[in-house]
Amino acid sequence: MSARFAFELLATDGAARLGRIDTPRGTIRTPAFMPVGTAATVKAMRPESVAETGADVLLGNTYHLMLRPGAERVARLGGLHRFMNWERPILTDSGGFQVMSLAELRQLTERGVTFRSHLDGARHELTPERSMEIQRLLGSDIAMAFDECPALPADRRRIEESMRLSMRWAARSREAFGDRPGHALFGIQQGGLERDLREESAEALRSVGFDGYAVGGLAVGEGQAAMFGVLDYAPAMLPADRPRYLMGVGKPDDIVGAVKRGIDMMDCVLPTRSGRTGQAFTRRGPVNLKNARHRDDPRPLDEACGCPACRSYSRAYLHHLFRAGEILSAMLLTWHNLHYFQEIMAGMREAIAAARFAEWEAAFHRQRAEGDIDPI
Amino acid sequence: MSARFAFELLATDGAARLGRIDTPRGTIRTPAFMPVGTAATVKAMRPESVAETGADVLLGNTYHLMLRPGAERVARLGGLHRFMNWERPILTDSGGFQVMSLAELRQLTERGVTFRSHLDGARHELTPERSMEIQRLLGSDIAMAFDECPALPADRRRIEESMRLSMRWAARSREAFGDRPGHALFGIQQGGLERDLREESAEALRSVGFDGYAVGGLAVGEGQAAMFGVLDYAPAMLPADRPRYLMGVGKPDDIVGAVKRGIDMMDCVLPTRSGRTGQAFTRRGPVNLKNARHRDDPRPLDEACGCPACRSYSRAYLHHLFRAGEILSAMLLTWHNLHYFQEIMAGMREAIAAARFAEWEAAFHRQRAEGDIDPI
């Protein structure tokens, strides 16, 4: 615990970093994976269970929460932590990304974005100032600057204009956020796959000054190779003494590749969303429990996994639950996936501390290459 | 624990009975409420959580399990207890009731019922002999005789013929079940609302001899007053030294009225099904969390309840979860409802032990009559 927000870099191994973020609500061990709690719940999980998987911090979505139940309502009810019964740190996004992907009738101006809710068509506005206000009302520990992010591929001119707008919004976000001890504001680097634009963006953010820095505008359709290409240089453009957050990433191998390249924090809906569609992630790669090959299989999903799904149930049972449309299917597979993602993070943290990241990474890829166990 | 199935009557208070059923898989405290685990899962609950609510025994559905995943498959996988990770006792129904309510193209003969699966249209047959085989394959601790049960109202002739067929099937069920130490077979009294037919049915069952006796053919459309009318005399027709099970009941006040009239065991989907539709049961009556009155309410569903939904969340949050279609809504409300049903059972057991059932019952009705807390 700490009265203020502080990042400490504990060790490095190549570009990979081991660290800790102290906040008044607890410590975040980095590299950290943040489960996504879109609508004030990590879907199909009780928060106690999310904590059991090893998560130190959750992500909450400004766009979803502003529409339902509403930021002012959450504030009246004591803030997001209390509302959803999660006392550890929460990072909130700015709403910018989801306005662009979910809302209807968007109008983008220098001031911000007006749009219609995808839930009921009601008219809303998000600006850097309103985004900061919403994130303050929610009570998030780490707020994100309000930005705009084009899907890739996009032409250079579009990426450049968007990045410069986002940098002006970043400065307005910083101004609107003000001085809130114990709370952090992260700036978001943009610039697509253009190295000079990434540098221009990083320079703009550094000149404003943030408590942490995100690499934004990736995992938006460019593919892993292109993403890693940017991560080969982009993190080093950001201050080394602040946490670096890669937004919306990713699959297990994306995560490992990102940490290898100097990323400290990530979030993704993949483990939770996949948990609701019968898809499990394991040391030996993905396993689709819908598949009839599991119907008579008495073995656990992963014999080496300590999560409740693997400790207490057979593949045959998990297959049955999914086929029968049972809620317990989503509950168990989500738990397993979050557990596995946290296990990857813990493994990487240990490996960096021991200066054995390369060996850990090689073993990670070797196990995955083996593929799932043979059918019985 | 006990190597054999045994019922002990510990105390009575009026017609209400306190008892215990010992089985090799553990003790069932009676009066007992059995949560329903239709498809090898109590919907939206992990079995550890079901046990935490105080349930000693679950009900499994022969009809659902024979169709998916199949009784032979469950047996190959080590039986239903292991399959679903519930080591305590399981009672299975015979499949008769659900064939009549769910299956398609039913054909009823002296031999049994042929029907098409509501899942895939496949042709199946259930007979007393096959029902006993399925329940044995599932590994249930308490099996139910295969019977037929007409919906009410029905004319006397239909009820009489059906009851007599069920009694012939009961004798065949007993024969097919054989001698299985540690496992029990219950007979099911039929006869609708006709006292003389209930007596004839009870006599037929007693002459065969069962380990327990169910009052069947109620909670099928006759209303509470008519049901209580039958329960005023039917339980006393059954051997006092065996457990008495009222099938498919019911609402909290049905349960209390049934125990008052000498019933020891009950099951119902109400607490679990209602948990998925935003309906909670509390000491002060039902609460519909869909209702907008809860939107800004920071108070728990029931301040005196110790379940996770009431300990850690506001009505506003539970309302939000339901409106947002979140799985956690079903998880928390199901837990609450099962917790409350078990609390009623524990309260009645204590009251009977203390010979204060009438006072307990009066307090139960008094609290319900107060209704839900006023909106804020």
Side-chain angles (χ1 to χ4, degrees), chain B residues 171-225:
Chain B
R172 281 168 57 193
S173 294
R174 176 81 265 180
E175 176 71 21
F177 184 83
D179 184 29
R180 299 180 58 213
H183 297 263
L185 177 64
F186 282 22
I188 305 175
Q189 182 197 45
Q190 293 289 352
L193 308 180
E194 313 287 329
R195 187 166 185 154
D196 61 324
L197 298 182
R198 288 273 165 193
E199 182 54 59
E200 181 185 328
S201 178
E203 170 55 34
L205 296 174
R206 286 197 309 266
S207 76
V208 173
F210 289 91
D211 306 301
Y213 295 85
V215 179
L218 294 179
V220 289
E222 75 281 7
Q224 191 189 65

Side-chain angles (χ1 to χ4, degrees), chain B residues 1-6 22-27 87 89 141 181-183:
Chain B
M1 298 283 180
S2 163
R4 61 192 193 89
F5 179 92
D22 287 302
T23 84
R25 290 197 179 265
T27 294
E87 290 306 324
D141 304 282
H183 297 263

Side-chain angles (χ1 to χ4, degrees), chain B residues 8 14 125 146 150 193 199 227 239 253 255 260 266 287 292 294 296-297 311 322 342 354-355 358 375:
Chain B
E8 189 180 355
E125 183 180 34
F146 187 65
L193 308 180
E199 182 54 59
M227 179 173 83
D253 52 326
I255 288 175
K260 178 185 186 175
M266 275 160 288
V287 175
H294 305 297
D296 287 295
D297 196 331
R311 271 198 329 260
F322 183 82
Q342 294 298 341

Side-chain angles (χ1 to χ4, degrees), chain B residues 86-99:
Chain B
W86 173 265
E87 290 306 324
R88 302 184 187 200
I90 294 175
L91 178 148
T92 45
D93 63 13
S94 71
F97 183 81
Q98 272 151 343
V99 165

